[in-house]
Amino acid sequence: MKKATTLILALALGAFAAQSASAAGTVRISQVYGGGGGGTGTYLYDYVELFNSSGAAVNIGGWSLQYGSSTGTSFASSTINMALIPAGATIPACGYYLCQVGSAGSGGVALPVTPDQVTSGPAMAQAAGKIALVSNQIFPHACSGNSVGGDYVDVVGYGAANCFETAFAPTLSSTTVEVRKLGGMQDTDDNSADFVAQGTNITTLHNTQSPGNIDCLATPTMPSTWGKIKVLYR
């Protein structure tokens, strides 16, 4: 019996480790700020924060962040609306990745946490727009209404954007951030339910060096194999 249990555990751990490279469903957008550089904005630059909800590191190299206006018919109509994630970029287990993107001007202060990646674009609208995490660097990606599956790892439409997951998230301002609930853990594929517009003064940014999400570290929800192992053997 002991040998059988050990073998099952070893096989499960092997399967868990193998999921790292293909765990696209475990990564999602956890914060969006589009008020960078504005005259009344908090920060000088826009940013997008990503979160890895799994118990294994995920390599996101070769992916991209693609932006579109609230009424545009696609994500990344041109290269200036893209942030290309470099080869080898990795999000740690239950951790975060911070990408600093464009700016509308010279107002605001530097981000309080060092970005893992700095790009010149996209410069996102502060109130309403849409951003997609895409599993490749091909553009544009046409969209209309509910936009899930395929190349889309995650999509966030905010402020009456015309592309989203189920329904758009709240309208933003130069001093508010779109924040996924539970530190990035909540993901029902409904932007309106999963995100809250939160003041920059009470929002904590994270990068790959930040402590992992405590709830995720306790029992990661994805990959499910690891979560089951921890429940059985902790």
Side-chain angles (χ1 to χ4, degrees):
M1 183 67 179
K2 184 176 181 182
K3 288 183 178 179
T5 301
T6 301
L7 177 59
I8 292 170
L9 180 57
L11 290 172
L13 287 172
F16 156 70
Q19 291 181 54
S20 176
S22 60
T26 71
V27 177
R28 71 283 303 259
I29 295 168
S30 52
Q31 291 186 24
V32 178
Y33 175 73
T40 59
T42 302
Y43 299 123
L44 177 57
Y45 294 99
D46 298 342
Y47 73 84
V48 179
E49 182 191 276
L50 306 178
F51 173 64
N52 171 17
S53 67
S54 79
V58 175
N59 187 333
I60 59 171
W63 294 9
S64 59
L65 288 165
Q66 301 190 9
Y67 172 77
S69 67
S70 61
T71 59
T73 57
S74 68
F75 293 96
S77 58
S78 67
T79 55
I80 63 173
N81 286 325
M82 296 178 65
L84 305 181
I85 300 175
T90 301
I91 309 180
C94 297
Y96 301 86
Y97 183 93
L98 182 61
C99 184
Q100 175 183 295
V101 290
S103 176
S106 57
V109 300
L111 298 181
V113 174
T114 302
D116 296 296
Q117 178 179 349
V118 174
T119 68
S120 59
M124 303 185 294
Q126 70 174 30
K130 52 183 180 277
I131 185 79
L133 177 61
V134 179
S135 62
N136 55 48
Q137 299 183 346
I138 299 169
F139 73 99
H141 276 79
C143 72
S144 177
N146 196 30
S147 304
V148 296
D151 293 343
Y152 296 126
V153 179
D154 195 28
V155 170
V156 178
Y158 60 97
N162 60 357
C163 299
F164 40 72
E165 289 185 353
T166 304
F168 55 81
T171 299
L172 293 177
S173 72
S174 61
T175 57
T176 56
V177 183
E178 210 71 81
V179 178
R180 186 180 292 275
K181 296 174 182 178
L182 303 179
M185 291 285 283
Q186 179 164 316
D187 190 1
T188 66
D189 289 336
D190 183 343
N191 291 162
S192 65
D194 292 340
F195 284 88
V196 60
Q198 182 171 287
T200 52
N201 60 320
I202 59 171
T203 300
T204 300
L205 284 70
H206 312 86
N207 61 13
T208 54
Q209 303 304 308
S210 300
N213 182 296
I214 295 175
D215 293 329
C216 175
L217 289 169
T219 303
T221 56
M222 294 180 72
S224 60
T225 304
W226 183 237
K228 290 175 183 176
I229 291 170
K230 295 191 78 171
V231 168
L232 290 171
Y233 292 96
R234 64 186 173 184

